[in-house]
Amino acid sequence: MVVGDFPIELDTLVVGAGPGGYVAAIRAAQEGQKVAIADKGNLGGVCLNVGCIPSKALIQAGHRYEHAHGADEMGIKSENVTVDFSKVQEWKGKVVDKLTGGVEGLLKGNKVDIVKGEVYFVDKNTVRIMDEKNSQTYTFNNCIIATGSRPIELPNFKYSDRVISSTGALALEEIPEKMVVIGGGYIGTELGTAYANFGTEVTILEGQEDILLGFEKQMRQLVKKKLKKKNVNVVTNAMAQGVEEGENGATVTYEAKGETHTIDADYVLVTVGRKPNTDELGLEQVGIELDDKGLIKIDKQCRSNIDNIYAIGDIVDGPPLAHKASYEGKVAAEAISGHASEIDYHGIPAVVFSEPELASVGYTEAEAKEAGYDVNAAKFPFAANGRALSLNENDGFLKLVTRKEDGLIIGGQIAGANASDMIAEVGLAIESGMTAEDLALTIHAHPSLGEITMEAAEVALGKPIHSM
């Protein structure tokens, strides 16, 4: 390998070191390819640095603070509970550093070269990678683009000291007294809940008829019930119109039910979606096809219209989920190695770390019927589970969607404590072609939340033990 005026030659170049890119690079290296991964930012991408991981750390800290105030129904009382938010942020940073350091170790351990800098395509086999001091040419046989996405900025809500994105919300130095969240999707709901648990007065403005519209109505209702208990004001069909910023806060103007309203806040958090990072790579030099949203068009093996260039994660169609990107990264790396791997999104779960947590995989009941399936929807409540009662987490349910003809599990939805963990068993059942009988015959530990899955399967069979 010659460095300098001569190009560095690779089997595979991965552009972007987020959960899609670094997984793709490791899998490609495991398949015997000579691999380099390039990113202008930190290893781990948005997810590890300013997304999934730090947000869940902040959410967990909020839970701890809320729980520290006691539980009267359990006879637990506490006084003078305080929070040192600088310590919270310090702890969150340590979680991030540990994981990003782990990614670096995994890449090096798999002999993946790590390159820091901005990538610009010269042609279908060549890029220039530039940092502040140097520029180097790399040639490759194949390339996997995994550059992720960034928050959408609204024209009337330009990011500033008081108007912030999810990245800014995760880096606040103090707990706001008041916060307005524009957008009631999973990011807005999660971060709004986290700050509400710290005592912030939160208002969520959602332009559509409800928050979390990707989930069933009964699941959304449970979340809204908890938000109301936390004094979070959810305003739906609300159109945010503008903001006036001051030295110590901001005033948001919005329209709802034909009337104009204003609301004051310390910070305005804008979470109305994300846009793909495909606009500064020189893709036009290669002729890669994009759709009208700036997403790269791919086939079942994540291959673009240019046969040696692949794309994964937030820059291709589908939900912007870290685990989707990692899954696609493996498919792309294996396809490059000649395997028959191809994407199948049916078993990919969606999770919101709200209160209670929401999770879904496969078909919902409505989606299954729309697809032409004749289905049963079997539901079991958390309130009938001993472990849920002992955790004081009574709200929620698990629903299994099965085909009537053979009991095949084709979907599942969970609203309740630890739904993010429990959904994996339903996903495995779908991926493995299991039936309700298979789940019902699987012995689950008692007392555990996992029993809820077994109980729902017995409901599907028409032989429930712990429900009528």
Side-chain angles (χ1 to χ4, degrees):
M1 169 167 93
V2 181
V3 183
D5 294 334
F6 298 96
I8 297 174
E9 299 177 359
L10 300 166
D11 292 326
T12 298
L13 172 68
V14 179
V15 183
Y22 84 75
V23 169
I26 291 172
R27 180 52 52 87
Q30 290 171 342
E31 291 290 338
Q33 300 169 36
K34 180 182 176 183
V35 183
I37 188 167
D39 200 307
K40 64 181 178 181
N42 295 324
L43 295 176
V46 168
C47 176
L48 267 65
N49 290 279
V50 292
C52 317
I53 299 304
S55 66
K56 302 315 168 281
L58 192 67
I59 288 167
Q60 182 60 27
H63 286 323
R64 291 288 182 92
Y65 180 63
E66 183 188 40
H67 292 164
H69 284 84
D72 287 343
E73 64 271 30
M74 291 183 177
I76 298 172
K77 297 183 179 181
S78 56
E79 298 178 357
N80 302 320
V81 179
T82 62
V83 57
D84 183 340
F85 201 62
S86 63
K87 284 283 189 182
V88 172
Q89 292 287 26
E90 181 182 335
W91 170 75
K92 175 174 69 66
K94 289 178 180 178
V95 173
V96 170
D97 291 344
K98 185 172 184 177
L99 285 170
T100 54
V103 169
E104 182 176 6
L106 289 169
L107 289 167
K108 289 180 176 178
N110 282 279
K111 297 181 173 55
V112 175
D113 289 332
I114 300 170
V115 185
K116 192 87 167 198
E118 296 195 42
V119 176
Y120 191 84
F121 280 86
V122 177
D123 57 43
K124 64 176 288 189
N125 294 102
T126 312
V127 297
R128 294 287 288 179
I129 302 180
M130 297 158 281
D131 61 19
E132 294 178 355
K133 297 180 180 179
N134 303 301
S135 176
Q136 175 65 50
T137 298
Y138 288 77
T139 63
F140 50 82
N141 295 326
N142 294 282
C143 178
I144 301 173
I145 306 174
T147 46
S149 62
R150 61 188 184 272
I152 291 174
E153 185 177 50
L154 293 175
N156 293 337
F157 291 84
K158 296 291 186 181
Y159 293 132
S160 64
D161 289 341
R162 294 293 166 180
V163 180
I164 57 178
S165 67
S166 55
T167 300
L170 291 169
L172 292 178
E173 295 180 357
E174 75 280 339
I175 298 171
E177 288 186 17
K178 296 182 179 181
M179 176 182 282
V180 171
V181 179
I182 299 177
Y186 70 96
I187 296 174
T189 301
E190 288 181 353
L191 291 178
T193 301
Y195 276 106
N197 283 339
F198 282 120
T200 301
E201 183 182 319
V202 176
T203 298
I204 297 176
L205 302 178
E206 170 54 51
Q208 300 191 70
E209 66 268 22
D210 207 353
I211 63 172
L212 300 173
L213 279 176
F215 293 87
E216 293 181 316
K217 182 177 180 179
Q218 191 174 1
M219 301 172 77
R220 304 195 302 265
Q221 290 295 106
L222 289 171
V223 174
K224 289 192 293 184
K225 179 182 172 184
K226 275 290 182 75
L227 288 173
K228 188 174 182 179
K229 284 185 176 180
K230 298 176 188 296
N231 296 316
V232 175
N233 183 25
V234 177
V235 185
T236 55
N237 293 310
M239 301 307 296
Q241 297 178 326
V243 60
E244 290 186 12
E245 296 181 56
E247 185 177 343
N248 299 313
T251 300
V252 174
T253 302
Y254 69 94
E255 183 181 324
K257 296 182 179 179
E259 297 182 1
T260 300
H261 305 266
T262 60
I263 183 170
D264 295 328
D266 299 302
Y267 293 96
V268 181
L269 168 59
V270 180
T271 60
V272 293
R274 302 183 66 83
K275 62 188 298 183
N277 293 325
T278 55
D279 50 351
E280 296 181 353
L281 296 169
L283 298 182
E284 65 279 1
Q285 296 290 111
V286 190
I288 291 177
E289 290 185 10
L290 306 178
D291 68 11
D292 57 0
K293 297 178 181 177
L295 299 169
I296 296 175
K297 298 179 180 180
I298 59 170
D299 65 13
K300 286 285 189 180
Q301 290 195 308
C302 302
R303 188 184 291 105
S304 73
N305 63 302
I306 307 301
D307 61 4
N308 69 317
I309 298 181
Y310 298 71
I312 62 173
D314 292 6
I315 59 170
V316 303
D317 193 27
L321 302 171
H323 48 277
K324 169 182 170 286
S326 298
Y327 167 72
E328 291 167 341
K330 296 171 189 175
V331 170
E334 290 167 2
I336 288 170
S337 296
H339 297 297
S341 299
E342 60 179 45
I343 50 179
D344 176 5
Y345 295 132
H346 187 56
I348 289 184
V351 175
V352 179
F353 291 82
S354 50
E355 292 185 33
E357 291 182 357
L358 306 183
S360 181
V361 65
Y363 288 107
T364 64
E365 182 181 0
E367 289 168 346
K369 290 177 179 177
E370 188 176 334
Y373 291 104
D374 189 12
V375 296
N376 278 322
K379 188 185 294 184
F380 190 85
F382 272 57
N385 174 264
R387 180 60 175 154
L389 291 172
S390 67
L391 289 170
N392 199 29
E393 296 284 359
N394 305 354
D395 290 337
F397 62 88
L398 185 150
K399 180 196 284 188
L400 287 180
V401 181
T402 60
R403 283 195 319 211
K404 280 186 179 179
E405 62 189 85
D406 54 10
L408 184 73
I409 298 166
I410 61 173
Q413 291 75 46
I414 308 174
N418 290 20
S420 57
D421 298 315
M422 293 173 64
I423 199 67
E425 183 177 13
V426 183
L428 177 63
I430 293 171
E431 190 70 27
S432 304
M434 296 173 67
T435 65
E437 185 178 26
D438 292 322
L439 279 186
L441 291 174
T442 301
I443 302 172
H444 290 67
H446 175 77
S448 70
L449 295 176
E451 289 178 287
I452 296 172
T453 309
M454 177 187 71
E455 301 272 15
E458 291 184 333
V459 172
L461 295 173
K463 299 179 180 179
I465 299 297
H466 294 108
S467 68
M468 297 300 294

